Amino acid sequence: MTRSRINWIDFGKGLAIFLVLMGHVLLGLYQSEKFPSWNNVLLVIIAQLYIFHIPVFFALSGYFFKPLSTIKEFFDYAKKKTIVLGIPYIFYSIIHFCLQKIAGTTVRIPTTIFDLINIYKQPLGVSWYIYVLWSILMIYGLLSIVVKKRRMLLLISALAYCSTLFVQSDIYIIQRTLVWGVCFLLGSVLSEIHLDRMDAKKFLLFFIPFDLIYMSAWFLFYEVDSKKDYVSYSNPGLWGIAFVVCILFSFILFPKIEKNCPKVFNYFSKYGKDSLGIYIIHAPICSMLRILMLKMGINSVFIHVIAGILLGWYLSIFATYIMKKIPILNIVLLPQKYIKLK
């Protein structure tokens, strides 16, 4: 049975992947240590983006999640999800490794062949999202056979998140699944609630002061030590409350964009359908653009930001388009089209 598309979900994925790309461009500039006078500005924008895009991405991915009925259904489901997410995960990891070898000494933290072999326990680069999403789908898919109510699953995921406030695991997949399951399950629960009927303007009266307070607190406690994470994705602690607020705001606002800003809505909706392809392609493209511009002696942060975002965005879209046209590459984006999953 083919799942019908929901326009505002596509819009949300398109906007989120654009913000992910923007965040990685700015983060690359910050971590390059080539623009020290801009560190504070870059760091504040990065922190703002990082409490929004990936949490919303997880929630949008969880929107269509439904509890499973039997072990047999779970095995069919697990097979499908493993193939659909596993192929792009492996593809990205290989591309990441190869491009780092090409870049040579310009890479800050080089990837070894052993890192590539060990992607089953430690993902490379941005592929961590695919890795953790797969884990969440497996764990909560299996759990849903027993726990049928989504709100109960959300409660379990919230308790799992709270456990990370006190105890952290060194095992990557465990720690990240405990952290991100709550965003995924929140998206599933919100699919049953008509947040689109809420008045976005009234929510803004809450969201704007909250965001100002959050960013002020973050600046005081995080920016003091530039070696700390801008926003920790492995152990966000109480700062993770901002993830939930951003998800709620998004699910209230996104359905209203179609009517109020149709051109913006249609633009990002179009690319939301290709969000996975853009996601796995954008990171190496943006990295290579930054390295190339630095080698060319371009030292203007404005040129790096504008060129990095625009060229990174449209080259990622173009690369995804090319992949869709070549069957041997399109299998990365749509494995279900070429591999029998049932």
Side-chain angles (χ1 to χ4, degrees):
M1 183 176 176
T2 303
R3 185 180 69 191
S4 59
R5 303 200 74 94
I6 297 177
N7 290 337
W8 72 263
I9 295 289
D10 284 333
F11 166 78
K13 288 183 176 180
L15 178 61
I17 190 56
F18 177 77
L19 295 178
V20 166
L21 181 145
M22 181 178 174
H24 284 150
V25 169
L26 298 178
L27 182 61
L29 295 177
Y30 172 73
Q31 293 181 336
S32 72
E33 300 180 348
K34 300 292 185 181
F35 308 96
S37 61
W38 286 92
N39 275 356
N40 286 347
V41 175
L42 290 171
L43 204 57
V44 168
I45 300 173
I46 289 166
Q48 182 70 83
L49 290 172
Y50 273 66
I51 63 170
F52 185 89
H53 54 47
I54 289 297
V56 170
F57 233 131
F58 270 112
L60 291 171
S61 297
Y63 188 88
F64 295 102
F65 174 79
K66 295 180 180 179
L68 304 176
S69 300
T70 64
I71 287 292
K72 182 182 182 304
E73 184 183 3
F74 169 76
F75 282 122
D76 291 339
Y77 161 92
K79 174 186 174 183
K80 178 178 179 181
K81 297 300 182 184
T82 300
I83 291 174
V84 168
L85 295 175
I87 291 178
Y89 178 72
I90 294 171
F91 174 82
Y92 169 84
S93 300
I94 294 172
I95 294 297
H96 179 95
F97 172 78
C98 292
L99 289 179
Q100 285 217 337
K101 292 305 176 188
I102 293 172
T105 57
T106 59
V107 176
R108 294 187 306 278
I109 305 176
T111 300
T112 68
I113 187 65
F114 297 103
D115 295 325
L116 182 61
I117 293 171
N118 288 322
I119 60 171
Y120 69 92
K121 62 180 179 180
Q122 183 77 26
L124 301 177
V126 301
S127 68
W128 76 267
Y129 170 81
I130 301 174
Y131 182 75
V132 174
L133 178 60
W134 174 84
S135 175
I136 290 170
L137 288 166
M138 296 302 104
I139 290 173
Y140 287 100
L142 186 60
L143 187 58
S144 71
I145 297 173
V146 179
V147 182
K148 299 296 184 183
K149 294 183 178 179
R150 300 189 207 191
R151 298 186 188 195
M152 184 58 67
L153 289 170
L154 176 61
L155 177 60
I156 292 171
S157 68
L159 293 174
Y161 182 93
C162 289
S163 71
T164 66
L165 300 177
F166 308 100
V167 180
Q168 289 83 47
S169 173
D170 292 330
I171 302 175
Y172 191 100
I173 197 168
I174 293 177
Q175 180 67 18
R176 296 266 177 148
T177 302
L178 291 173
V179 167
W180 290 103
V182 67
C183 291
F184 179 87
L185 268 300
L186 180 58
S188 180
V189 169
L190 291 179
S191 70
E192 301 177 314
I193 301 173
H194 296 290
L195 286 183
D196 55 304
R197 296 175 184 175
M198 291 185 64
D199 189 336
K201 293 181 180 178
K202 290 182 179 179
F203 193 84
L204 273 173
L205 295 177
F206 164 77
F207 179 78
I208 292 175
F210 171 87
D211 190 57
L212 290 173
I213 293 170
Y214 172 88
M215 291 304 298
S216 298
W218 172 87
F219 191 82
L220 287 173
F221 292 101
Y222 266 78
E223 204 278 330
V224 171
D225 181 0
S226 61
K227 297 301 180 183
K228 278 190 174 183
D229 289 335
Y230 35 93
V231 176
S232 174
Y233 273 1
S234 61
N235 184 30
L238 292 175
W239 298 98
I241 294 171
F243 297 170
V244 174
V245 174
C246 288
I247 291 169
L248 293 174
F249 176 66
S250 300
F251 276 56
I252 292 171
L253 183 64
F254 287 171
K256 294 176 170 57
I257 300 293
E258 184 172 16
K259 180 180 178 181
N260 297 303
C261 302
K263 290 184 179 180
V264 173
F265 185 90
N266 291 334
Y267 179 81
F268 285 111
S269 296
K270 177 171 59 176
Y271 297 119
K273 298 171 184 176
D274 294 326
S275 59
L276 178 61
I278 296 172
Y279 184 84
I280 63 175
I281 288 295
H282 85 276
I285 286 177
C286 290
S287 294
M288 297 303 288
L289 284 171
R290 183 181 66 256
I291 291 169
L292 180 61
M293 285 192 284
L294 288 173
K295 283 188 173 182
M296 292 171 62
I298 298 175
N299 297 313
S300 167
V301 72
F302 292 104
I303 294 176
H304 271 274
V305 170
I306 300 302
I309 292 173
L310 291 180
L311 286 175
W313 177 244
Y314 285 107
L315 286 175
S316 297
I317 290 171
F318 178 72
T320 304
Y321 172 80
I322 296 299
M323 288 179 67
K324 289 169 66 177
K325 293 297 181 181
I326 303 173
I328 197 171
L329 294 178
N330 192 31
I331 193 174
V332 173
L333 305 179
L334 292 170
Q336 63 270 32
K337 185 176 178 180
Y338 303 90
I339 302 173
K340 188 176 181 180
L341 299 180
K342 289 186 178 181

